[in-house]
Amino acid sequence: MGNLSLTFAIDFGIPALLIVFAFFTGTIVERRHFRRIIDRENELRGIPAFAIRRIPKDLALSHPKLVYGSAVISVDYFKKFAASLRAIIGGRLGTYESLFERARREAMLRMKDEARRQGGDIVLNVKFETVRIFSGGGGAVSVEAMAYGTAYRKNHAGAEIH
Amino acid sequence: MIISNMEEIPGKRVVQHLGVVQGSTVQAKNVFRDIGASLKNLVGGELKSYTDLINNSRQEALQRMKREAVALGANAVLNVRFSTSTITQGAAELLAYGTAVVVEDSPNG
């Protein structure tokens, strides 16, 4: 009898502890990440990015350069557990939505960072790509989000166009 | 060499199309990095080593695409796209492709 309850405690107790632990760490990590994202988005507001394919007629741009940024973000044990529950009844997977959002916004920021490093003022034709990556054991999933586009320098009025 | 994912370059015009050029790499993950990754799978967060790994191979894919374009005599690659596919657990193919062209300065911008 004692043996059985010990097995029970190991089989269910440890995963339950991990889920609770992951819930707290995951929430803290996510909240911190979002705060960092918002700060950097404000900082990089000066470099706008557009998903347009043509250069607007009133903009004089030069020095095109392909820029990209990407981020691989992992789920935590709690998100994984919540997702497996959700898979039974269906519906929106809120815990994964925030994961994709973080990865995508982070990728966009890194793309803008790269544009700034290259002396760019604006990024056009922004595209996103998302890939699921298997990592670690037990079929754990992480997502890679990538953002890319063409960075340009703005020519100020009167300057000659190259 | 101008690399862009737009269809045109301001101030230049395309004088010759040389066709599609592409570059790709197949990257497998590192077992030792995986130990760190499985820990991150518990607590969540960015897998920095994976981000770097993928970025390096994407850079390599772009380089290969560029080399192909240079071999064709192009001085620009336009409409560049990226594509990624996971092959098996732990391996991914990163592809970059675009159209190799010859451009020259256009007098009327």
Side-chain angles (χ1 to χ4, degrees):
Chain A
M1 239 14 209
N3 212 348
L4 196 70
S5 59
L6 186 70
T7 318
F8 184 82
I10 289 172
D11 282 357
F12 293 95
I14 290 176
L17 269 179
L18 285 182
I19 288 165
V20 172
F21 174 70
F23 174 74
F24 286 111
T25 55
T27 310
I28 291 167
V29 167
E30 183 159 290
R31 204 172 294 160
R32 258 198 224 146
H33 191 197
F34 269 125
R35 249 202 310 265
R36 244 186 356 256
I37 286 174
I38 291 164
D39 283 350
R40 283 155 61 217
E41 275 174 353
N42 286 330
E43 194 192 312
L44 285 164
R45 196 135 285 171
I47 301 173
F50 300 96
I52 50 173
R53 281 173 58 213
R54 289 192 191 286
I55 298 169
K57 286 272 175 288
D58 55 339
L59 276 181
L61 303 176
S62 66
H63 298 85
K65 182 111 194 8
L66 188 77
V67 288
Y68 62 89
S70 76
V72 180
I73 313 277
S74 166
V75 293
D76 59 56
Y77 200 72
F78 171 76
K79 278 188 198 299
K80 213 179 124 190
F81 173 70
S84 61
L85 282 189
R86 255 287 179 224
I88 301 169
I89 51 170
R92 256 181 356 107
L93 260 178
T95 53
Y96 274 32
E97 283 174 354
S98 63
L99 190 76
F100 278 98
E101 189 190 339
R102 273 161 73 193
R104 212 166 277 136
R105 282 167 79 174
E106 181 69 46
M108 176 102 151
L109 281 170
R110 289 183 183 168
M111 180 196 74
K112 283 189 175 186
D113 254 338
E114 175 68 21
R116 182 166 63 177
R117 254 199 305 278
Q118 306 277 354
D121 300 310
I122 188 170
V123 184
L124 299 184
N125 204 8
V126 174
K127 308 233 170 203
F128 287 108
E129 208 187 87
T130 316
V131 193
R132 186 173 60 143
I133 290 169
F134 298 99
S135 58
V141 166
S142 21
V143 290
E144 196 230 5
M146 182 211 190
Y148 63 103
T150 302
Y152 290 95
R153 279 185 210 172
K154 263 188 205 158
N155 296 324
H156 299 291
E160 62 174 315
I161 300 164
H162 282 292
Chain B
M1 176 71 76
I2 299 168
I3 309 288
S4 162
N5 74 335
M6 300 281 275
E7 287 161 23
E8 55 202 0
I9 300 171
K12 297 198 187 287
R13 66 190 176 92
V14 175
V15 290
Q16 201 184 349
H17 287 270
L18 299 165
V20 173
V21 285
Q22 52 138 342
S24 83
T25 48
V26 176
Q27 177 74 51
K29 62 184 179 180
N30 181 313
V31 180
F32 299 103
R33 282 174 170 165
D34 238 33
I35 297 169
S38 33
L39 189 71
K40 270 286 170 67
N41 284 143
L42 177 66
V43 299
E46 177 171 11
L47 303 177
K48 198 83 187 77
S49 61
Y50 276 35
T51 307
D52 293 344
L53 194 73
I54 292 177
N55 261 337
N56 287 343
S57 9
R58 200 167 272 138
Q59 193 75 45
E60 177 61 31
L62 263 180
Q63 285 305 327
R64 287 181 185 175
M65 184 194 76
K66 257 191 235 180
R67 245 176 274 150
E68 201 182 316
V70 169
L72 287 174
N75 62 1
V77 183
L78 300 183
N79 216 353
V80 171
R81 298 282 151 97
F82 288 101
S83 169
T84 315
S85 43
T86 44
I87 303 167
T88 57
Q89 194 157 337
E93 195 224 11
L94 304 141
L95 168 71
Y97 62 100
T99 304
V101 292
V102 178
V103 293
E104 62 178 29
D105 287 338
S106 165
N108 47 14

